[in-house]
Amino acid sequence: MMESGVQYCTTCGESVGFVPGVEGQEVFVSCHGCSYPLCKACLEDEIRGGRTSCLRCEEPYRHVLEKSHEDPYDLEETAAIEDHTSMHPANRFHARSTSSFSAVGSEIMSESGNPVWKDRVQSWKDKKKSTKKAPKKAELAEIPVEQQQIDEKELTDAWEPLSRVIPISKNKLTPYRAVIIMRLIVLGLFFHYRITNPVDSAYGLWLTSIICEIWFAFSWVLDQFPKWCPINRETYIDRLAARYERDGDESALAAVDFFVSTVDPLKEPPLITANTVLSILAVDYPVDKVSCYVSDDGAAMLTFESLAETAEFARKWVPFCKKFSIEPRAPEFYFSQKIDYLRDKVQPSFVKERRAMKRDYEEYKVRINALVAKAQKTPEEGWVMQDGTPWPGNNSRDHPGMIQVFLGQSGARDINQNELPRLVYVSREKRPGYQHHKKAGAMNALVRVSAILTNAPFILNLDCDHYVNNSKAVREGMCFMMDPAVGKDVCYVQFPQRFDGIDKSDRYANRNIVFFDVNMKGLDGIQGPVYVGTGCMFNRQALYGYGPPSLPALPKSSFCSWCCGCCCCCAGPKEEKKSENEIYRESRRDDLNAAIFNLHEINNYDEYERSMLISKMSFEKTFGLSSVFIESTLMENGGVPESTNPSTLIKEAIHVIGCGYEEKTEWGKEIAWIYGSVTEDILSGFKMQCRGWRSIYCMPTRPAFKGSAPINLSDRLHQVLRWALGSVEIFFSRHCPLWYGFGGGRLKWLQRLAYINTIVYPFTSLPLVAYCSLPAICLLTGKFIIPTLSNMASVWFLGLFLSIIVTSVLELRWSGIGIEDWWRNEQFWVIGGLSAHLFAVFQGILKMIAGLDTNFTVTAKASEDAEFGELYVFKWTTVLIPPTTILVLNLVGVVAGFSDALNSGYEAWGPLFGKVFFSMWVIMHLYPFLKGLMGRQNRTPTIVVLWSVLLASVFSLLWVKIDPFISNTEGSESKGCLSFDC
């Protein structure tokens, strides 16, 4: 449920409103038994239809019936007034949850202006009412009792919520929170002891350790408290079908536009992209409600030709998937499953058709691979299309915009002559001298193209290597987006990322289980999960910069005063006008506003006032010079504007993907995907939630989407490097959560802590490098960062270690993740912090100060292994230098410590224990990194051997010969400080 405090009617989705004539603005309540949210108009429809009891608790509407007897009113007159007001332009748009628009041609509303869902509910009531009015035995005998029960159940299901929140059990959550508080107290006592007991003989090492530990505690707070109130969610797709899909009636589900982005087909194999597209075209959703847009940002003819082959193969693949309800619907992954495909398949023709389909897919793969082989060498004269004309994208940095519609209403049909979802190829225009903003710019181009051609109210974006693993994933998301009680303030529904092809031990934490199954659940209990770049369903209006409907709207009476105030703001306004302006400024701060107002506010005016308001608000300066696109942004329920000419849509779509279209507009600054960081996903989601939107985390039992992840060490570190660099860029930008978005107070504090954590975590690499070097330095120098321990100090140390362990155990308990996943996450936190995060910090600082953009060269070796062969590929890169150095340094330190203890006698073994334990903690966390360096047995790269020998020699010489850390005068005094008083 939403946290905005505004109640919405379960039937129509509008605000419940207040009791008329009652002072104090008392909220209207239809049922005092369960407070079922129902507005007065819908309640009157219920009574008019013959229902006198609450749908949820079956308690009679006593107070309403009593009031109707005391003060009877004419329901027919009320209904006539409602029909009259519904024709007013201010009521032309309804809640988006009742959208009935298809991909191109929008469904027509009823003559009264009510949405399709409301009409359908009314028709059910009329049928039920007519049955009650004429209870003839003959008619009742014609309708079986079972059918009456089914109809009654469907009607009841349609009125039930489409999703529900499942809170974590108090038995699991209360101890977890108690331990967090206890850990905070112990942490305070621990720091009190550490700060008040310095180590004079190693003051520099002690001070360094204190600074590092304080930063680690700060990072822990940022990471821990956003997990204070985790929740789970459950969806009911059967209720969604009962509400919006009735037998014999046209589907009223909202349309959705899929976005798939790709750049280089030689690095992103066309076959993988094709599988993603095929899985989208075969989703379990009405075909006229689905459109797939593929962005080719490299303007490669290989991508275009492979998409043409994919469209042809989809004519066979889509009907096969829907006929036999197979999962997943990406052919490469379906045919590679090691399962009994005959299970639950009762159709006798299944085996025959499956074999034929697999044969067709193998032939399709041969054609795609032939295109890939042909594209390995570019002809000198450039690529030429089949009709003999040169390919417009021969120069990937200087080419016109291209759009090709392959499937859809006017395109090819499947082999059964049924309509297929629309498939559109898009390559935006690129010219020298223009900033194209990489993936974010490509996604914004798709937003504009899709708004011109289909304008679905919802958008679902996927990376080219993330296919639809659950054909009902769209319905899962719609259970939130189309639920009037939930979806009004939802900007996006984020699905967790799941991956194929990862080794069972998940050596480098590629699955990110802790993040997706722990952190994201915690954020879902606050203001929603962060946007992670793929597998996300958006509300298109949120991308346009509109605020959620729960924001206070500007009163209509202030229209004239506002227009006058824009011209003469220095004139002394009256007290009443000043009050309205204050309310307006309070609800829309400059740093949160996307240069346009709330849609519901615009709809409060007639056509003349609305045209003046649009002109005054300078929509063209916000959205660009396209009247068709601007008009589409005002259609909250989606659909192509009726005033547009279908013959000019493609021409208009080419216009909006021009390289100069975004100049002097708000694209990438305040609306859609935000520019300024390589992690545009985090930044874009942050902007939307600062405007007051919230997000939803949807975790279906069967993963909605699956993708591929780099599983060898070097590629994994470079992926993490890019993410960390994006966080550093946001930290140094004006959108930094430390200071951005405080004006409206719409971002919850715990949510802000989570966003701060996403942009400061790379800086943890600096203290982490120092802290992991301390144990080796202590072993080499004979010093330590902790003085002689008293009994009370031992208690604080032991309490801190126990609180860390218990917190982790209780977190595993409520989240359900395994201890191995938790340990892999801890290990890679150290590995990434010592390598990728460190380089990201320095690269981000250099980019900010000097504008330098450093690239790291990766040299790959071929792999001969078939299964998980990529795991053992070693690619030497400079990112590996810091962790390699620290690993070798600690190994040398351990050897040096033991050799010193052997030479010093029995008394030296006590202090050695603490130092070696500290050093082994570092080595254990770097163990997967060490395995990655070694590869398979007897295949250790020469460069690793050279580095190890070199570093071991250097630090051994420092310890034995140079010995710069210990003076000869310290003698027995320094040794006395290292003993443990247990």
Side-chain angles (χ1 to χ4, degrees), residues 790-950:
S790 63
N791 292 333
M792 185 57 66
S794 301
V795 170
W796 300 140
F797 274 87
L798 184 61
L800 180 62
F801 286 129
L802 287 177
S803 64
I804 293 174
I805 294 172
V806 174
T807 304
S808 301
V809 170
L810 293 177
E811 196 167 271
L812 297 179
R813 184 170 173 242
W814 68 254
S815 64
I817 67 173
I819 189 171
E820 184 178 6
D821 294 320
W822 172 83
W823 175 237
R824 291 302 186 201
N825 181 77
E826 293 294 312
Q827 287 179 314
F828 197 77
W829 176 77
V830 176
I831 295 171
L834 296 178
S835 54
H837 299 172
L838 182 66
F839 274 75
V841 171
F842 286 109
Q843 187 176 353
I845 294 174
L846 288 174
K847 189 174 182 180
M848 180 195 66
I849 297 176
L852 299 178
D853 191 5
T854 307
N855 293 318
F856 304 102
T857 304
V858 178
T859 303
K861 291 185 178 180
S863 173
E864 301 173 0
D865 301 287
E867 186 176 7
F868 305 130
E870 188 71 14
L871 177 66
Y872 306 102
V873 173
F874 179 81
K875 304 176 182 180
W876 179 254
T877 170
T878 50
V879 177
L880 302 177
I881 294 177
T884 305
T885 304
I886 291 175
L887 182 61
V888 173
L889 182 62
N890 278 274
L891 291 173
V892 172
V894 171
V895 175
F898 275 104
S899 63
D900 182 66
L902 289 173
N903 295 330
S904 301
Y906 178 78
E907 295 179 355
W909 287 96
L912 178 65
F913 174 77
K915 301 175 187 177
V916 171
F917 176 80
F918 195 7
S919 186
M920 291 303 297
W921 178 89
V922 177
I923 295 173
M924 287 177 61
H925 279 79
L926 291 176
Y927 178 69
F929 177 82
L930 180 62
K931 291 184 67 176
L933 289 180
M934 295 305 173
R936 282 200 183 277
Q937 188 177 5
N938 300 325
R939 292 173 57 181
T940 305
T942 305
I943 189 69
V944 175
V945 178
L946 293 176
W947 264 95
S948 301
V949 173
L950 177 62

Side-chain angles (χ1 to χ4, degrees), residues 212 762-771 833 838 841-842:
C212 294
F763 296 94
T764 306
S765 60
L766 299 175
L768 187 61
V769 169
Y771 206 69
L838 182 66
V841 171
F842 286 109

Side-chain angles (χ1 to χ4, degrees), residues 301 305 381-392 394:
M301 185 171 163
E305 290 183 335
E381 65 278 5
W383 297 108
V384 179
M385 294 189 291
Q386 293 181 356
D387 59 357
T389 58
W391 172 246
N394 278 321

Side-chain angles (χ1 to χ4, degrees), residues 639-660:
V640 178
E642 299 178 0
S643 59
T644 57
N645 185 358
S647 61
T648 63
L649 288 181
I650 294 294
K651 182 178 179 181
E652 190 69 21
I654 292 290
H655 167 62
V656 298
I657 60 173
C659 56

